[in-house]
Amino acid sequence: MSTKETSKRIALVLGAGGARGLAHIGVIDVLRERGHEIVAVAGSSMGALVGGIHAAGRLQEYTRWASALQRSDVVRLLDFAFGHPGLFKGDRVIGVLRELIGSYEIESLPIPFTAVATDVQRQREVWLQRGPLFDAIRASIAIPMVFTPYCVAGRELVDGGLLSPMPMAATRMTSADWVVAVDLNAHVHPADNGMPIPSVAAEKKQAGNDAVQGDSLRERIGGFLDGFIEKRNKPAISQPGIVDLMSQALDTMQAQIARMQLALDPPDVLVRVPHDSCAFYEFWRARELIDIGRGAAEHALEALARQNGDAAPDSRH
């Protein structure tokens, strides 16, 4: 932290982006190490999961657990949802997390928290600010076609990233010095964030036609999607697999909406995590992604300090 940097009250906005959301942990670590106080959190999808656990004061436990995950562990957390509108029910992973973290009511958390979900029937963004924490998280992470929808207060809800991948509006009532937003869909190479860690795209480019080039999505996640997935990285004329195509389409939609949200309601500090840092299902790369988040946060804060001569931006809240 710069000698002139003073601690700030932070309203934290954590964006959607699958496994890239593990980078949120690194961002939170940097903010706390620099003496800033997070006074409110709003999150969509994986941002709701990390943000809610942080608001409960249990992020350290979650970080240890996530950092120890191997590919086989991730596969074992998946519960197939035969006959339901989604590949997985999501009950198993939420049950494990509830056992690890504990049961909390959102309104009783030490830090105000908003999980953002989507009501597809009414085509509306939904802010979950009361009730069981993991019910709100389960609704917010319900990626269509991947996880089944989740019913909260009689409404079937899905992933908040569909309508609000960067839920800036959920922080407007917070009394804070800075709004810090973490965009997981940024089109920036890690090196541009001051990070030496190569992106997935860069790794593949360097690998050429080696084993990575011939790797399939099925092989990379332990073969749990038999019959659904085609080879990744086939010759250019080949089509992507179903999950690959769905992931790319969702990322494209979220990136476009996020850009509009950031333009309409820009944060004081924008932390940009490269959109190609990992595939959305690579939750076994927690340590690497946490480091990416740390690097991105440090870069954003140092860039702000240089721009403003170590002066804080004018408070808008």
Side-chain angles (χ1 to χ4, degrees):
M1 182 168 64
S2 167
T3 55
K4 294 183 180 181
E5 184 178 327
T6 58
S7 62
K8 301 295 177 185
R9 289 167 52 84
I10 303 292
L12 187 60
V13 179
L14 301 179
R20 293 191 301 276
L22 291 163
H24 291 319
I25 298 171
V27 175
I28 292 170
D29 285 346
V30 168
L31 292 174
R32 297 180 67 185
E33 287 167 8
R34 288 175 173 243
H36 302 306
E37 180 188 3
I38 298 172
V39 297
V41 182
S44 280
S45 197
M46 193 62 183
L49 190 151
V50 174
I53 292 173
H54 171 68
R58 302 298 301 275
L59 190 59
Q60 187 175 6
E61 291 86 347
Y62 173 74
T63 301
R64 284 197 297 266
W65 176 80
S67 297
L69 287 176
Q70 303 296 318
R71 298 186 189 196
S72 58
D73 298 320
V74 174
V75 174
R76 282 193 289 269
L77 289 170
L78 300 174
D79 44 0
F80 281 95
F82 299 107
H84 295 272
L87 290 173
F88 311 108
K89 291 183 288 186
D91 295 341
R92 186 174 300 164
V93 65
I94 290 296
V96 168
L97 290 175
R98 186 180 282 113
E99 182 177 348
L100 175 72
I101 304 302
S103 296
Y104 294 85
E105 298 294 312
I106 295 176
E107 59 268 32
S108 300
L109 296 177
I111 299 174
F113 169 67
T114 302
V116 178
T118 301
D119 183 332
V120 288
Q121 183 175 4
R122 295 177 174 87
Q123 298 183 341
R124 291 179 180 176
E125 174 182 344
V126 177
W127 294 1
L128 300 171
Q129 298 173 315
R130 300 185 64 83
L133 173 63
F134 278 103
D135 283 0
I137 289 173
R138 172 62 182 84
S140 187
I141 66 171
I143 303 172
M145 295 176 59
V146 177
F147 290 112
T148 58
Y150 194 74
C151 186
V152 175
R155 305 170 75 174
E156 284 210 334
L157 305 178
V158 298
D159 195 294
L162 286 184
L163 291 181
S164 188
M166 292 292 294
M168 308 294 299
T171 67
R172 285 177 182 161
M173 296 301 293
T174 303
S175 177
D177 300 312
W178 290 354
V179 171
V180 176
V182 185
D183 180 10
L184 301 179
N185 293 289
H187 285 260
V188 56
H189 191 275
D192 298 328
N193 268 354
M195 293 177 289
I197 302 170
S199 65
V200 170
E203 289 174 349
K204 291 175 181 175
K205 183 176 180 181
Q206 294 168 5
N209 293 319
D210 64 8
V212 175
Q213 193 80 359
D215 205 11
S216 69
L217 180 60
R218 175 181 167 182
E219 291 164 350
R220 297 177 74 183
I221 58 179
F224 73 92
L225 288 178
D226 269 350
F228 287 98
I229 312 302
E230 297 179 22
K231 289 269 188 186
R232 291 175 65 93
N233 306 310
K234 283 184 179 178
I237 58 173
S238 297
Q239 298 298 313
I242 293 173
V243 172
D244 278 328
L245 182 59
M246 181 195 69
S247 173
Q248 292 166 10
L250 187 62
D251 282 350
T252 299
M253 179 189 71
Q254 289 182 344
Q256 291 289 344
I257 297 174
R259 279 194 282 271
M260 289 189 290
Q261 289 182 299
L262 291 167
L264 290 170
D265 193 4
D268 298 299
V269 181
L270 176 61
V271 178
R272 304 172 72 204
V273 174
H275 76 285
D276 58 352
S277 298
C278 73
F280 83 95
Y281 52 81
E282 293 182 313
F283 288 94
W284 55 83
R285 295 175 60 186
R287 290 189 180 93
E288 177 185 352
L289 291 162
I290 291 169
D291 286 342
I292 289 176
R294 289 186 62 89
E298 288 168 352
H299 177 78
L301 292 171
E302 293 301 329
L304 178 69
R306 289 194 300 271
Q307 176 184 338
N308 295 335
D310 289 327
D314 292 336
S315 175
R316 299 184 293 116
H317 304 271

